[in-house]
Amino acid sequence: MKRKTAKRQALLRQRLEELTALIKRLCPEAEVTLLPNFRYEDEDAVLKVFVPPEKYDEVEAAVTRRETEILWEDGLFIVTLVYEKKPVEPTTAT
């Protein structure tokens, strides 16, 4: 298990804010949630993102690129789960 120092935690928060800003810049209507206590392997953090279908490829590619840079530069393993937000169908009253 990785030991998290105050400096590492501050860097993680900074990188999460950076990823969130990147996502919002590409897709202002994106819904971004940090999944607390989500652990599968050795992730430092997991973000869950919902975007409209037409923005999926752009957001997913940009976030994957930046996550990889963060891993190489800082050793932080951040996983972002990008999902297409399905349009809500209006319901009819019966």
Side-chain angles (χ1 to χ4, degrees), residues 24-55:
K24 289 294 194 172
R25 188 169 51 252
L26 295 171
C27 181
E29 64 273 18
E31 297 172 18
V32 182
T33 305
L34 175 63
L35 298 179
N37 303 318
F38 181 91
R39 294 280 185 224
Y40 180 70
E41 292 273 333
D42 290 332
E43 300 91 347
D44 290 296
V46 178
L47 291 174
K48 188 175 185 180
V49 180
F50 287 94
V51 296
E54 63 274 8
K55 289 289 191 172

Side-chain angles (χ1 to χ4, degrees), residues 16-82:
L16 289 169
E17 290 171 6
E18 178 185 323
L19 283 169
T20 300
L22 171 64
I23 293 163
K24 289 294 194 172
R25 188 169 51 252
L26 295 171
C27 181
E29 64 273 18
E31 297 172 18
V32 182
T33 305
L34 175 63
L35 298 179
N37 303 318
F38 181 91
R39 294 280 185 224
Y40 180 70
E41 292 273 333
D42 290 332
E43 300 91 347
D44 290 296
V46 178
L47 291 174
K48 188 175 185 180
V49 180
F50 287 94
V51 296
E54 63 274 8
K55 289 289 191 172
Y56 176 85
D57 289 335
E58 178 184 10
V59 171
E60 198 272 336
V63 169
T64 299
R65 187 176 321 108
R66 187 61 191 129
E67 283 174 347
T68 303
E69 292 169 353
I70 290 170
L71 180 60
W72 282 97
E73 293 168 5
D74 305 321
L76 295 170
F77 183 24
I78 301 171
V79 174
T80 304
L81 308 170
V82 182

Side-chain angles (χ1 to χ4, degrees), residues 78-93:
I78 301 171
V79 174
T80 304
L81 308 170
V82 182
Y83 299 98
E84 290 183 8
K85 188 184 331 181
K86 302 296 181 194
V88 177
E89 296 286 329
T91 57
T92 57

Side-chain angles (χ1 to χ4, degrees), residues 1-10 12 37-39 42-45 76-77:
M1 184 169 171
K2 294 180 186 175
R3 185 179 166 125
K4 295 186 179 177
T5 64
K7 184 177 177 181
R8 185 173 172 87
Q9 282 295 101
L12 178 59
N37 303 318
F38 181 91
R39 294 280 185 224
D42 290 332
E43 300 91 347
D44 290 296
L76 295 170
F77 183 24

